[in-house]
Amino acid sequence: MKHVLLTGANGFVGKVLQEQLLAAGYRVSCACTSPNLSPRTGVEQVLLDIRDADACAETLGRIKPSHIVHLAAISHVPTSFRDPLLTWNTNVLGSLNLLEAIKQQAPYAFVVFASSSEVYGEAFKAGVALDEDSLCLPMNPYAASKLAAELAFEQYFKQGIRGVIARPFNHIGFGQSPDFVTASFARQIALIESGKQAPIMQVGNLEACRDFLDVRDVCTAYLQLLALSEAQDHPRLFNIASGNARKICSILDELISQSGASITVELDPQRLRPSDIPFAVGNCDRIRDVLNWQPKIPLKETLASLLADWRVRVVAEQ
Ligand code: A2R
């Protein structure tokens, strides 16, 4: 049976991916830093801090997974500015610890590394959809750490480790932290609807264009990338993108129209990122041509699920 070790299993993407892996027939070992008190039935829990090299080796030696999806990371850009050491230790050294453990304990395992479209950084200023051969010019510690981890993966691939690197564009959906723009919008709308917030929304830069994907579509792409373990020859690097540019204000308009509440929008200068880029869209030719993957879930549906999630979550908030 195919047995996958999923790092970062309790995160936004990990929770969705667990479901899809189980549905696809994988045995799933979920690695997390603290126990999940209500784990998904059918998965096995593993406590693992990837900054601990010995623990990585012990875990890989015990589990001997056939597949690995490496999601664990400090994934929040402002946190990476606030705590670069934590970011580099987790995203780079943590990845190296995992790679060494794979090399020593599970050398036949096939690994999918979740990097990020953020690695392109300043290259987005060209204003076109970027493909995998585009320059990488990271603009924040998070992006730089992901690019460094990619280099580490490429080195281990050269030494015979099997796997691929994915660069997902902005994925959104239920369960995401309100630190991210669409979740922040949905949370505020839900708070306004429930009378917990005055009908004024605080927003950042609404003019930026992004390549938004439903997290479920991104997880489908990860599953298809795992299936490359059966292929003789394949590219090592894939954008996960829709190729569609969407202005953030169009997302806000759609969410407000789905709410029906009367809402005033106000700019909050604190929400403007120091290094914001106006246009960040991915070329998706490779993943479409090699895997026949493309996003299936309409944006309207994604935003409806996001709003429905926040309507439930704000009830539980103080
Ligand atoms: O602390 P936990 O158990 O909640 O796990 C977080 C995990 N993580 C770690 N796991 C092991 N050792 C560490 N030292 C460590 N530090 C953090 O990474 C958390 O559950 C997970 C990341 O989840 P999110 O922040 O929700 O990220 P998301 O959106 O699920 O993104 C998944 C991946 C990330 O690598 C992104 O950079 C990439 O997709 O694009």
Side-chain angles (χ1 to χ4, degrees):
M1 189 187 197
K2 292 178 291 182
H3 183 181
V4 65
L5 175 67
L6 181 58
T7 73
N10 277 348
F12 166 54
V13 178
K15 286 189 183 124
V16 179
L17 189 54
Q18 290 179 35
E19 297 289 337
Q20 292 197 10
L21 287 163
L22 285 171
Y26 282 88
R27 180 177 164 198
V28 183
S29 289
C30 287
C32 30
T33 54
S34 53
N36 182 343
L37 298 177
S38 46
R40 168 75 173 74
T41 315
V43 303
E44 294 154 47
Q45 277 201 77
V46 182
L47 287 186
L48 176 64
D49 184 328
I50 57 167
R51 292 168 298 173
D52 181 339
D54 292 341
C56 286
E58 188 278 324
T59 302
L60 270 286
R62 182 164 39 84
I63 292 177
K64 299 267 181 213
S66 58
H67 295 75
I68 297 157
V69 183
H70 178 35
L71 300 176
I74 301 302
S75 67
H76 184 228
V77 171
T79 303
S80 77
F81 277 109
R82 268 198 309 276
D83 200 340
L85 275 182
L86 173 70
T87 305
W88 285 82
N89 275 330
T90 308
N91 297 2
V92 184
L93 295 180
S95 294
L96 273 166
N97 289 337
L98 192 70
L99 281 162
E100 265 305 301
I102 295 169
K103 186 172 155 187
Q104 286 162 20
Q105 306 290 341
Y108 299 104
F110 185 92
V111 57
V112 174
F113 169 53
S115 178
S116 168
S117 60
E118 287 268 347
V119 296
Y120 293 119
E122 280 204 66
F124 282 124
K125 289 184 177 162
V128 296
L130 298 183
D131 68 17
E132 293 84 350
D133 296 324
S134 304
L135 270 184
C136 289
L137 301 167
M139 293 171 77
N140 56 63
Y142 164 68
S145 70
K146 281 287 176 177
L147 187 59
E150 284 193 15
L151 282 175
F153 270 88
E154 284 166 14
Q155 281 302 311
Y156 281 78
F157 290 157
K158 285 191 177 126
Q159 295 170 41
I161 297 299
R162 305 169 64 232
V164 292
I165 296 164
R167 289 180 181 159
F169 280 65
N170 297 63
H171 32 314
I172 62 174
F174 53 83
Q176 192 168 28
S177 151
D179 291 332
F180 293 85
V181 62
T182 54
S184 159
F185 290 165
R187 176 173 175 272
Q188 290 189 67
I189 290 173
L191 284 170
I192 290 168
E193 286 177 348
S194 65
K196 291 182 174 178
Q197 176 174 324
I200 299 168
M201 280 192 68
Q202 302 289 331
V203 299
N205 177 10
L206 293 178
E207 290 307 305
C209 275
R210 294 289 181 268
D211 188 330
F212 286 108
L213 298 163
D214 191 296
V215 62
R216 292 165 288 183
D217 278 327
V218 174
C219 289
T220 309
Y222 288 145
L223 253 109
Q224 289 187 236
L225 288 169
L226 281 173
L228 285 176
S229 62
E230 312 285 327
Q232 291 297 325
D233 194 24
H234 57 79
R236 292 286 186 195
L237 178 62
F238 290 88
N239 279 347
I240 303 179
S242 71
N244 299 319
R246 298 191 197 266
K247 268 198 178 178
I248 292 180
C249 60
S250 71
I251 304 279
L252 180 59
D253 290 346
E254 174 61 29
L255 279 168
I256 289 176
S257 80
Q258 288 192 12
S259 160
S262 170
I263 293 171
T264 307
V265 174
E266 246 180 28
L267 183 71
D268 171 7
Q270 289 200 330
R271 288 173 198 250
L272 298 174
R273 275 193 193 180
S275 57
D276 212 354
I277 30 188
F279 181 92
V281 175
N283 176 304
C284 52
D285 290 355
R286 179 175 293 173
I287 193 161
R288 189 196 54 222
D289 294 348
V290 175
L291 294 175
N292 196 24
W293 176 89
Q294 54 185 7
K296 292 207 167 68
I297 302 170
L299 189 64
K300 257 184 184 229
E301 201 179 312
T302 304
L303 296 178
S305 73
L306 190 63
L307 202 48
D309 178 39
W310 276 105
R311 283 176 178 140
V312 175
R313 284 165 80 178
V314 298
V315 171
E317 286 184 5
Q318 290 300 331

